[in-house]
Coordinates of all heavy atoms in Angstrom, one line a residue:
P454 N 0.8 -1.2 0.0 CA 0.0 0.0 0.0 C 0.8 1.3 0.0 O 1.9 1.3 0.6 CB -0.8 -0.1 1.3 CG -0.7 -1.5 1.7 CD 0.5 -2.1 1.1
M455 N 0.3 2.3 -0.6 CA 1.0 3.6 -0.7 C 0.1 4.7 -0.2 O -1.1 4.7 -0.5 CB 1.4 3.8 -2.2 CG 2.2 5.0 -2.4 SD 2.6 5.3 -4.2 CE 3.2 3.7 -4.7
Y456 N 0.6 5.6 0.5 CA -0.2 6.7 1.1 C 0.6 8.0 0.8 O 1.8 8.1 0.7 CB -0.4 6.5 2.6 CG -1.0 5.2 2.9 CD1 -0.2 4.1 3.2 CD2 -2.4 5.1 3.0 CE1 -0.8 2.9 3.5 CE2 -3.0 3.9 3.3 CZ -2.2 2.8 3.6 OH -2.8 1.6 3.9
I457 N -0.2 9.1 0.7 CA 0.4 10.4 0.6 C 0.2 11.1 1.9 O -0.9 11.1 2.5 CB -0.3 11.3 -0.5 CG1 -0.2 10.6 -1.9 CG2 0.3 12.7 -0.6 CD1 1.2 10.4 -2.5
I458 N 1.3 11.7 2.4 CA 1.2 12.5 3.7 C 1.6 13.9 3.4 O 2.5 14.2 2.5 CB 2.0 11.9 4.8 CG1 3.5 11.8 4.5 CG2 1.5 10.6 5.3 CD1 4.4 11.4 5.6
T459 N 1.0 14.8 4.0 CA 1.2 16.3 3.9 C 0.6 17.0 5.1 O 0.1 16.3 6.0 CB 0.6 16.8 2.5 OG1 1.1 18.2 2.4 CG2 -0.9 16.7 2.5
N460 N 0.7 18.2 5.1 CA 0.1 19.0 6.2 C -1.3 19.4 5.9 O -1.8 19.0 4.8 CB 0.9 20.2 6.6 CG 1.1 21.2 5.5 OD1 0.4 21.1 4.5 ND2 2.1 22.1 5.6
D461 N -2.0 20.1 6.7 CA -3.4 20.5 6.5 C -3.7 21.3 5.3 O -4.7 21.3 4.7 CB -4.0 21.1 7.8 CG -4.2 20.2 8.9 OD1 -4.2 19.0 8.7 OD2 -4.3 20.7 10.1
I462 N -2.7 22.1 4.9 CA -2.9 23.1 3.8 C -2.2 22.6 2.5 O -2.4 23.1 1.5 CB -2.4 24.5 4.2 CG1 -0.9 24.5 4.5 CG2 -3.2 25.1 5.3 CD1 -0.3 25.9 4.7
G463 N -1.4 21.5 2.6 CA -0.8 20.9 1.4 C 0.4 21.8 0.8 O 0.8 21.6 -0.2
L464 N 0.8 22.8 1.6 CA 1.9 23.7 1.2 C 3.1 23.4 2.1 O 3.0 23.5 3.3 CB 1.4 25.1 1.3 CG 2.4 26.2 0.8 CD1 2.7 26.0 -0.7 CD2 1.8 27.6 1.1
N465 N 4.2 23.1 1.5 CA 5.4 22.7 2.3 C 5.1 21.6 3.2 O 5.6 21.5 4.3 CB 6.0 23.9 3.0 CG 6.4 25.0 2.1 OD1 7.0 24.7 1.0 ND2 6.2 26.2 2.4
G466 N 4.2 20.7 2.8 CA 3.8 19.6 3.7 C 4.7 18.5 3.9 O 4.5 17.6 4.7
A467 N 5.8 18.4 3.2 CA 6.8 17.3 3.4 C 7.4 17.5 4.8 O 8.0 16.5 5.3 CB 7.9 17.4 2.3
T468 N 7.3 18.6 5.4 CA 7.8 18.7 6.8 C 7.1 17.8 7.8 O 7.7 17.5 8.8 CB 7.6 20.2 7.3 OG1 6.2 20.5 7.2 CG2 8.5 21.2 6.5
V469 N 6.0 17.2 7.4 CA 5.3 16.3 8.2 C 6.2 15.1 8.6 O 6.0 14.4 9.6 CB 3.9 15.9 7.6 CG1 4.1 14.9 6.5 CG2 3.0 15.3 8.7
M470 N 7.2 14.8 7.7 CA 8.1 13.6 8.0 C 8.9 13.9 9.2 O 9.6 13.0 9.7 CB 8.9 13.3 6.8 CG 10.0 14.2 6.4 SD 10.9 13.6 4.9 CE 12.0 12.4 5.6
L471 N 8.9 15.1 9.7 CA 9.7 15.5 10.9 C 8.8 15.4 12.1 O 9.3 15.6 13.3 CB 10.3 16.9 10.8 CG 11.3 17.0 9.6 CD1 11.7 18.5 9.5 CD2 12.4 16.1 9.7
Y472 N 7.5 15.3 12.0 CA 6.6 15.2 13.1 C 6.4 13.8 13.6 O 5.6 13.1 13.2 CB 5.2 15.8 12.7 CG 5.3 17.2 12.1 CD1 4.2 17.6 11.3 CD2 6.3 18.1 12.3 CE1 4.2 18.8 10.7 CE2 6.3 19.3 11.8 CZ 5.2 19.7 11.0 OH 5.2 21.0 10.4
T473 N 7.3 13.4 14.6 CA 7.2 12.0 15.0 C 5.9 11.6 15.6 O 5.5 10.5 15.5 CB 8.4 11.7 16.0 OG1 8.3 12.6 17.1 CG2 9.7 11.8 15.3
D474 N 5.2 12.6 16.2 CA 3.8 12.3 16.8 C 2.9 11.8 15.6 O 2.2 10.9 15.7 CB 3.2 13.5 17.5 CG 3.9 13.7 18.8 OD1 4.6 12.9 19.3 OD2 3.6 14.8 19.4
A475 N 2.9 12.6 14.5 CA 2.1 12.2 13.4 C 2.5 10.9 12.8 O 1.7 10.1 12.4 CB 2.2 13.3 12.3
L476 N 3.8 10.6 12.7 CA 4.3 9.4 12.1 C 4.0 8.2 13.0 O 3.6 7.2 12.5 CB 5.8 9.5 11.9 CG 6.3 10.5 10.9 CD1 7.8 10.5 10.8 CD2 5.6 10.4 9.6
S477 N 4.1 8.4 14.3 CA 3.7 7.3 15.2 C 2.2 7.0 15.2 O 1.8 5.8 15.2 CB 4.2 7.5 16.7 OG 3.5 8.6 17.2
D478 N 1.4 8.1 15.1 CA 0.0 7.9 14.9 C -0.3 7.2 13.6 O -1.2 6.3 13.6 CB -0.7 9.2 14.9 CG -0.8 9.9 16.3 OD1 -0.4 9.2 17.3 OD2 -1.1 11.1 16.3
L479 N 0.4 7.5 12.6 CA 0.2 6.8 11.3 C 0.5 5.3 11.4 O -0.2 4.5 10.9 CB 1.0 7.5 10.2 CG 0.8 6.9 8.8 CD1 -0.6 6.9 8.3 CD2 1.7 7.6 7.8
A480 N 1.7 5.0 12.0 CA 2.1 3.6 12.1 C 1.0 2.9 12.9 O 0.7 1.7 12.6 CB 3.5 3.6 12.7
T481 N 0.6 3.5 14.0 CA -0.4 2.8 14.8 C -1.7 2.6 14.0 O -2.3 1.5 14.1 CB -0.7 3.7 16.1 OG1 0.5 3.8 16.8 CG2 -1.7 3.0 17.0
D482 N -2.2 3.6 13.3 CA -3.4 3.5 12.5 C -3.3 2.4 11.5 O -4.2 1.7 11.1 CB -3.8 4.8 11.8 CG -4.2 5.8 12.8 OD1 -4.5 5.6 14.0 OD2 -4.3 7.1 12.4
L483 N -2.1 2.3 10.9 CA -1.9 1.3 9.8 C -1.5 -0.1 10.4 O -1.4 -1.0 9.6 CB -0.7 1.8 8.9 CG -1.0 3.1 8.1 CD1 0.2 3.5 7.3 CD2 -2.2 2.8 7.2
D484 N -1.3 -0.1 11.7 CA -0.9 -1.3 12.4 C 0.4 -2.0 11.8 O 0.5 -3.1 11.6 CB -2.1 -2.4 12.3 CG -1.9 -3.5 13.3 OD1 -1.3 -3.3 14.4 OD2 -2.4 -4.6 13.0
V485 N 1.4 -1.1 11.8 CA 2.7 -1.5 11.3 C 3.8 -1.0 12.3 O 3.5 0.0 13.0 CB 3.0 -1.0 9.9 CG1 2.1 -1.6 8.9 CG2 3.0 0.5 9.8
D486 N 4.9 -1.6 12.3 CA 6.0 -1.2 13.1 C 7.0 -0.3 12.4 O 7.9 0.3 13.0 CB 6.7 -2.4 13.8 CG 7.4 -3.3 12.8 OD1 7.2 -3.1 11.6 OD2 8.0 -4.3 13.3
H487 N 6.9 -0.2 11.1 CA 7.8 0.7 10.3 C 7.1 0.9 8.9 O 6.2 0.2 8.5 CB 9.2 0.1 10.1 CG 9.2 -1.1 9.2 ND1 8.9 -2.4 9.6 CD2 9.5 -1.1 7.8 CE1 9.0 -3.1 8.5 NE2 9.3 -2.4 7.5
F488 N 7.6 2.0 8.3 CA 7.3 2.3 6.9 C 8.3 3.1 6.3 O 9.2 3.6 7.0 CB 5.9 2.9 6.8 CG 5.6 4.1 7.6 CD1 6.2 5.4 7.3 CD2 4.8 4.0 8.7 CE1 5.9 6.5 8.0 CE2 4.6 5.2 9.5 CZ 5.1 6.4 9.1
Y489 N 8.3 3.2 5.0 CA 9.2 4.0 4.2 C 8.6 5.3 3.8 O 7.4 5.4 3.5 CB 9.7 3.2 3.0 CG 10.5 2.0 3.4 CD1 9.9 0.8 3.5 CD2 11.8 2.1 3.7 CE1 10.6 -0.4 3.9 CE2 12.5 0.9 4.1 CZ 11.9 -0.3 4.2 OH 12.6 -1.4 4.6
I490 N 9.4 6.3 3.8 CA 9.0 7.7 3.4 C 9.9 8.1 2.2 O 11.1 8.1 2.2 CB 9.2 8.7 4.5 CG1 8.5 8.2 5.8 CG2 8.7 10.1 4.1 CD1 8.8 9.0 7.0
M491 N 9.2 8.5 1.1 CA 9.8 9.0 -0.1 C 9.3 10.5 -0.4 O 8.2 10.6 -0.7 CB 9.5 8.1 -1.3 CG 10.0 6.7 -1.1 SD 9.7 5.7 -2.5 CE 8.0 5.7 -2.7
P492 N 10.2 11.5 -0.1 CA 9.7 12.8 -0.4 C 9.5 12.9 -1.9 O 10.4 12.6 -2.7 CB 10.9 13.7 0.0 CG 11.7 12.8 0.9 CD 11.5 11.4 0.5
C493 N 8.3 13.4 -2.3 CA 8.1 13.5 -3.7 C 8.0 15.0 -4.2 O 7.9 15.3 -5.3 CB 6.9 12.8 -4.2 SG 5.4 13.1 -3.2
S494 N 8.1 15.9 -3.2 CA 8.3 17.3 -3.4 C 8.3 18.0 -2.1 O 8.2 17.3 -1.0 CB 7.1 17.9 -4.2 OG 5.9 18.1 -3.4
V495 N 8.5 19.3 -2.0 CA 8.5 20.0 -0.7 C 7.1 20.0 -0.1 O 6.9 20.3 1.0 CB 9.0 21.4 -0.8 CG1 10.4 21.5 -1.3 CG2 8.1 22.3 -1.8
H496 N 6.1 19.6 -0.9 CA 4.7 19.6 -0.5 C 4.1 18.4 0.1 O 3.1 18.4 0.8 CB 3.8 20.1 -1.7 CG 4.3 21.4 -2.2 ND1 4.2 22.6 -1.4 CD2 4.8 21.8 -3.4 CE1 4.7 23.6 -2.2 NE2 5.0 23.1 -3.3
E497 N 4.7 17.2 -0.3 CA 4.2 15.9 0.2 C 5.2 14.8 0.1 O 6.2 14.9 -0.6 CB 2.9 15.5 -0.7 CG 3.2 15.4 -2.1 CD 2.0 15.3 -3.0 OE1 0.9 15.7 -2.5 OE2 2.1 14.8 -4.1
C498 N 4.9 13.7 0.8 CA 5.7 12.5 0.8 C 4.9 11.3 0.5 O 3.6 11.3 0.8 CB 6.4 12.4 2.1 SG 7.5 13.6 2.6
I499 N 5.4 10.3 -0.1 CA 4.8 9.0 -0.2 C 5.2 8.1 0.9 O 6.4 8.1 1.2 CB 5.1 8.4 -1.6 CG1 4.6 9.3 -2.7 CG2 4.6 7.0 -1.7 CD1 5.1 8.9 -4.1
V500 N 4.3 7.5 1.5 CA 4.6 6.4 2.5 C 4.3 5.1 1.9 O 3.2 4.9 1.4 CB 3.8 6.7 3.8 CG1 3.8 5.5 4.7 CG2 4.2 7.9 4.5
M501 N 5.2 4.2 2.0 CA 5.0 2.8 1.5 C 5.1 1.9 2.7 O 6.1 1.9 3.5 CB 6.0 2.5 0.4 CG 5.8 3.3 -0.8 SD 6.7 2.8 -2.3 CE 6.1 1.2 -2.6
V502 N 4.1 1.0 2.8 CA 4.1 0.1 3.9 C 4.5 -1.3 3.3 O 4.1 -1.7 2.3 CB 2.6 0.0 4.5 CG1 2.5 -1.1 5.5 CG2 2.2 1.3 5.0
G503 N 5.3 -2.0 4.1 CA 5.8 -3.3 3.6 C 7.4 -3.3 3.5 O 8.0 -2.3 3.8
D504 N 7.9 -4.3 3.1 CA 9.3 -4.4 2.9 C 9.6 -4.4 1.4 O 9.2 -5.2 0.6 CB 9.9 -5.7 3.5 CG 9.8 -5.6 5.0 OD1 10.2 -4.5 5.6 OD2 9.4 -6.6 5.7
Y505 N 10.4 -3.4 1.0 CA 10.7 -3.1 -0.4 C 12.2 -3.0 -0.6 O 12.9 -2.7 0.4 CB 10.0 -1.9 -0.9 CG 8.5 -1.9 -0.9 CD1 7.8 -1.5 0.2 CD2 7.8 -2.5 -2.0 CE1 6.4 -1.5 0.2 CE2 6.4 -2.5 -1.9 CZ 5.7 -2.1 -0.8 OH 4.4 -2.1 -0.8
D506 N 12.6 -3.2 -1.8 CA 14.0 -2.9 -2.2 C 14.2 -1.4 -2.1 O 13.7 -0.7 -2.9 CB 14.3 -3.5 -3.6 CG 15.7 -3.2 -4.0 OD1 16.5 -2.5 -3.4 OD2 16.1 -3.8 -5.1
V507 N 15.0 -0.9 -1.2 CA 15.2 0.5 -1.1 C 15.9 1.2 -2.3 O 15.6 2.3 -2.6 CB 15.9 0.9 0.3 CG1 15.1 0.5 1.5 CG2 17.3 0.3 0.3
E508 N 16.7 0.4 -2.9 CA 17.3 1.0 -4.2 C 16.3 1.2 -5.3 O 16.3 2.2 -6.0 CB 18.5 0.1 -4.6 CG 19.7 0.1 -3.7 CD 20.2 1.6 -3.5 OE1 20.3 2.4 -4.4 OE2 20.6 1.8 -2.3
F509 N 15.3 0.3 -5.3 CA 14.2 0.4 -6.3 C 13.4 1.7 -5.9 O 13.0 2.5 -6.8 CB 13.4 -0.8 -6.3 CG 12.1 -0.7 -7.1 CD1 12.2 -0.6 -8.5 CD2 10.9 -0.5 -6.5 CE1 11.0 -0.4 -9.3 CE2 9.7 -0.3 -7.3 CZ 9.8 -0.3 -8.7
M510 N 13.1 1.8 -4.6 CA 12.3 3.0 -4.2 C 13.1 4.3 -4.5 O 12.5 5.3 -5.0 CB 12.0 2.9 -2.7 CG 10.9 1.9 -2.4 SD 10.3 2.0 -0.7 CE 11.8 1.5 0.2
K511 N 14.4 4.3 -4.3 CA 15.2 5.4 -4.6 C 15.2 5.7 -6.1 O 15.1 6.9 -6.5 CB 16.7 5.2 -4.1 CG 17.5 6.4 -4.4 CD 18.9 6.3 -3.7 CE 19.7 7.6 -4.1 NZ 20.5 8.0 -3.0
S512 N 15.2 4.7 -6.9 CA 15.1 5.0 -8.4 C 13.8 5.6 -8.7 O 13.7 6.4 -9.6 CB 15.4 3.7 -9.2 OG 14.4 2.8 -9.1
L513 N 12.7 5.2 -8.1 CA 11.4 5.8 -8.3 C 11.4 7.3 -8.0 O 10.9 8.1 -8.7 CB 10.3 5.1 -7.5 CG 9.9 3.6 -7.9 CD1 8.9 3.1 -6.9 CD2 9.3 3.6 -9.3
V514 N 11.9 7.6 -6.8 CA 12.0 9.0 -6.4 C 12.8 9.8 -7.4 O 12.4 10.9 -7.8 CB 12.6 9.1 -5.0 CG1 12.8 10.5 -4.6 CG2 11.7 8.4 -4.0
M515 N 14.0 9.3 -7.7 CA 14.8 10.0 -8.7 C 14.2 10.3 -10.0 O 14.2 11.3 -10.6 CB 16.2 9.3 -8.9 CG 17.0 9.3 -7.6 SD 18.5 8.3 -7.7 CE 19.5 9.3 -8.9
T516 N 13.5 9.2 -10.5 CA 12.8 9.4 -11.8 C 11.7 10.4 -11.7 O 11.5 11.2 -12.5 CB 12.2 8.0 -12.2 OG1 13.3 7.1 -12.4 CG2 11.4 8.1 -13.5
A517 N 10.9 10.3 -10.6 CA 9.8 11.3 -10.5 C 10.3 12.7 -10.3 O 9.8 13.7 -10.9 CB 9.0 11.0 -9.2
N518 N 11.4 12.9 -9.6 CA 12.0 14.2 -9.4 C 12.5 14.8 -10.7 O 12.4 15.9 -11.0 CB 13.2 14.1 -8.4 CG 12.6 14.1 -6.9 OD1 11.5 14.5 -6.7 ND2 13.5 13.6 -6.1
K519 N 13.1 13.9 -11.5 CA 13.6 14.3 -12.8 C 12.5 14.6 -13.8 O 12.6 15.6 -14.6 CB 14.5 13.2 -13.4 CG 15.1 13.5 -14.7 CD 16.0 12.3 -15.2 CE 16.1 12.4 -16.7 NZ 15.9 11.1 -17.3
D520 N 11.5 13.8 -13.9 CA 10.4 14.0 -14.9 C 9.2 14.8 -14.5 O 8.5 15.3 -15.4 CB 10.0 12.6 -15.3 CG 11.1 11.7 -16.0 OD1 12.1 12.3 -16.4 OD2 10.9 10.5 -16.0
V521 N 8.9 14.9 -13.2 CA 7.7 15.5 -12.8 C 7.8 16.8 -11.9 O 7.1 17.8 -12.1 CB 6.8 14.5 -12.1 CG1 5.5 15.1 -11.7 CG2 6.5 13.3 -13.0
V522 N 8.7 16.7 -11.0 CA 8.9 17.7 -10.0 C 9.7 18.9 -10.5 O 10.7 18.7 -11.1 CB 9.5 17.2 -8.7 CG1 9.7 18.2 -7.6 CG2 8.7 16.0 -8.1
T523 N 9.1 20.1 -10.3 CA 9.9 21.3 -10.7 C 11.1 21.5 -9.8 O 11.1 21.0 -8.6 CB 9.0 22.6 -10.6 OG1 8.7 22.8 -9.3 CG2 7.8 22.4 -11.5
Q524 N 12.1 22.2 -10.3 CA 13.3 22.4 -9.5 C 13.0 23.2 -8.2 O 13.5 22.9 -7.2 CB 14.3 23.2 -10.3 CG 15.7 23.3 -9.6 CD 16.7 24.0 -10.5 OE1 16.5 24.3 -11.6 NE2 17.9 24.1 -10.0
M525 N 12.0 24.1 -8.3 CA 11.6 24.8 -7.1 C 11.0 23.9 -6.0 O 11.1 24.2 -4.8 CB 10.7 25.9 -7.5 CG 10.4 26.9 -6.3 SD 9.6 28.4 -6.8 CE 8.0 27.9 -7.4
D526 N 10.3 22.9 -6.4 CA 9.6 22.0 -5.5 C 10.4 20.8 -5.1 O 10.0 20.0 -4.3 CB 8.3 21.5 -6.1 CG 7.3 22.6 -6.1 OD1 7.4 23.6 -5.4 OD2 6.3 22.5 -6.9
Y527 N 11.6 20.6 -5.7 CA 12.5 19.5 -5.4 C 12.9 19.5 -4.0 O 13.3 20.5 -3.4 CB 13.7 19.5 -6.3 CG 14.8 18.5 -6.0 CD1 14.7 17.2 -6.3 CD2 15.9 18.9 -5.3 CE1 15.6 16.3 -6.0 CE2 16.9 18.0 -4.9 CZ 16.7 16.7 -5.3 OH 17.7 15.8 -4.9
L528 N 12.9 18.3 -3.3 CA 13.4 18.2 -2.0 C 14.5 17.2 -1.8 O 15.6 17.6 -1.3 CB 12.2 17.7 -1.0 CG 12.5 17.6 0.4 CD1 13.0 19.0 1.0 CD2 11.3 17.1 1.2
S529 N 14.4 16.0 -2.3 CA 15.4 15.0 -2.0 C 15.2 13.8 -2.9 O 14.1 13.4 -3.3 CB 15.3 14.5 -0.5 OG 16.1 13.4 -0.3
D530 N 16.3 13.1 -3.2 CA 16.2 11.8 -3.9 C 16.4 10.6 -3.0 O 16.5 9.5 -3.4 CB 17.4 11.7 -5.0 CG 17.1 12.6 -6.2 OD1 16.0 12.9 -6.5 OD2 18.1 13.0 -6.8
S531 N 16.3 10.9 -1.7 CA 16.5 9.9 -0.7 C 15.3 9.2 -0.3 O 14.2 9.6 -0.5 CB 17.2 10.6 0.5 OG 18.4 11.2 0.2
V532 N 15.5 8.0 0.4 CA 14.4 7.3 0.9 C 14.7 7.1 2.4 O 15.9 6.9 2.9 CB 14.4 5.8 0.3 CG1 13.3 5.0 1.0 CG2 14.1 5.9 -1.2
Y533 N 13.7 7.3 3.3 CA 13.8 7.3 4.7 C 12.9 6.2 5.2 O 11.9 5.7 4.6 CB 13.3 8.6 5.3 CG 14.2 9.8 4.7 CD1 13.8 10.4 3.5 CD2 15.3 10.2 5.4 CE1 14.5 11.4 3.0 CE2 16.0 11.3 4.9 CZ 15.6 11.9 3.7 OH 16.3 12.9 3.2
R534 N 13.2 5.7 6.5 CA 12.4 4.6 7.1 C 12.1 5.2 8.5 O 12.9 5.6 9.3 CB 13.3 3.4 7.3 CG 12.5 2.2 7.9 CD 13.5 1.0 8.0 NE 12.8 -0.2 8.4 CZ 12.7 -0.6 9.7 NH1 13.2 0.2 10.7 NH2 12.0 -1.7 10.0
Y535 N 10.8 5.1 8.8 CA 10.3 5.4 10.1 C 10.1 4.1 10.9 O 9.5 3.2 10.4 CB 9.0 6.2 10.1 CG 8.4 6.4 11.5 CD1 9.0 7.3 12.4 CD2 7.4 5.6 12.0 CE1 8.5 7.4 13.7 CE2 6.9 5.7 13.3 CZ 7.4 6.6 14.1 OH 7.0 6.7 15.4
D536 N 10.7 4.1 12.1 CA 10.5 2.9 13.0 C 9.8 3.3 14.2 O 10.1 4.3 15.0 CB 11.9 2.4 13.4 CG 11.9 1.2 14.3 OD1 11.6 0.1 13.8 OD2 12.0 1.4 15.6
L537 N 8.6 2.6 14.5 CA 7.7 3.0 15.6 C 8.4 2.7 16.9 O 8.3 3.6 17.8 CB 6.4 2.2 15.5 CG 5.4 2.4 16.6 CD1 4.9 3.8 16.6 CD2 4.2 1.5 16.4
E538 N 9.1 1.7 17.1 CA 9.7 1.4 18.4 C 10.7 2.5 18.9 O 10.7 2.9 20.0 CB 10.4 0.0 18.4 CG 10.9 -0.4 19.7 CD 11.6 -1.8 19.7 OE1 11.2 -2.6 18.9 OE2 12.4 -2.1 20.6
S539 N 11.6 2.9 17.9 CA 12.6 3.9 18.3 C 12.0 5.3 18.1 O 12.6 6.3 18.6 CB 13.8 3.7 17.5 OG 13.5 4.0 16.1
D540 N 10.9 5.4 17.4 CA 10.2 6.7 17.1 C 11.2 7.6 16.4 O 11.3 8.8 16.6 CB 9.7 7.4 18.3 CG 8.7 8.5 18.0 OD1 8.0 8.4 17.0 OD2 8.6 9.4 18.8
M541 N 11.9 7.0 15.4 CA 12.9 7.8 14.6 C 12.8 7.6 13.1 O 12.4 6.5 12.7 CB 14.3 7.4 15.1 CG 14.6 7.7 16.5 SD 16.3 7.4 17.0 CE 17.2 8.5 15.9
V542 N 13.2 8.6 12.4 CA 13.3 8.5 10.9 C 14.8 8.4 10.6 O 15.6 9.2 11.1 CB 12.7 9.8 10.3 CG1 12.9 9.8 8.8 CG2 11.2 9.9 10.6
E543 N 15.1 7.4 9.7 CA 16.5 7.3 9.3 C 16.6 7.2 7.8 O 15.7 6.7 7.2 CB 17.1 6.0 10.0 CG 16.6 4.7 9.5 CD 17.2 3.5 10.1 OE1 18.4 3.5 10.3 OE2 16.5 2.5 10.3
L544 N 17.7 7.7 7.3 CA 18.1 7.7 5.9 C 18.4 6.2 5.6 O 19.3 5.7 6.3 CB 19.2 8.6 5.6 CG 19.7 8.6 4.2 CD1 18.7 9.2 3.2 CD2 21.0 9.5 4.1
V545 N 17.8 5.6 4.6 CA 18.2 4.3 4.2 C 18.7 4.2 2.8 O 19.3 3.2 2.4 CB 17.0 3.3 4.4 CG1 16.6 3.1 5.8 CG2 15.8 3.7 3.6
A546 N 18.5 5.2 1.9 CA 19.0 5.1 0.6 C 19.0 6.5 0.0 O 18.2 7.3 0.3 CB 18.2 4.2 -0.3

């Protein structure tokens, strides 16, 4: 499953990946102990639940950033993992 996360106004919403309360609530709601976060612009992030090849996810982010995201809205080509137990976001690719 894939989800889009952003803030209430959808502007600069990728900052939600820094709100551990929101991330822990999401993990609890989804009944998972971790998920992956892929920034797709400064406005939103994609959350993927399950275990995926992080290099594949990174290539998806890079392709989307190259083909779809404007330079002004570009945030990152990286993939992050949120872990509920540690309540931390870490860079994985």
Side-chain angles (χ1 to χ4, degrees):
M455 187 183 311
Y456 304 90
I457 302 294
I458 58 172
T459 188
N460 59 15
D461 290 340
I462 61 172
L464 184 63
N465 297 322
T468 57
V469 76
M470 73 180 280
L471 302 174
Y472 306 157
T473 56
D474 288 346
L476 299 178
S477 65
D478 289 348
L479 179 60
T481 300
D482 290 348
L483 297 174
D484 195 27
V485 296
D486 61 359
H487 72 277
F488 52 76
Y489 294 95
I490 304 169
M491 299 182 299
C493 51
S494 76
V495 296
H496 304 297
E497 60 192 20
C498 297
I499 296 172
V500 167
M501 294 188 66
V502 176
D504 290 314
Y505 296 93
D506 178 352
V507 293
E508 291 303 320
F509 173 72
M510 288 190 294
K511 183 172 178 142
S512 72
L513 289 176
V514 173
M515 291 175 72
T516 300
N518 284 336
K519 181 179 155 226
D520 296 343
V521 179
V522 177
T523 66
Q524 186 172 2
M525 187 165 67
D526 290 339
Y527 169 80
L528 182 59
S529 171
D530 287 332
S531 300
V532 176
Y533 303 85
R534 182 180 186 270
Y535 172 74
D536 180 76
L537 180 60
E538 184 176 337
S539 66
D540 196 29
M541 294 184 68
V542 174
E543 66 177 324
L544 177 69
V545 293

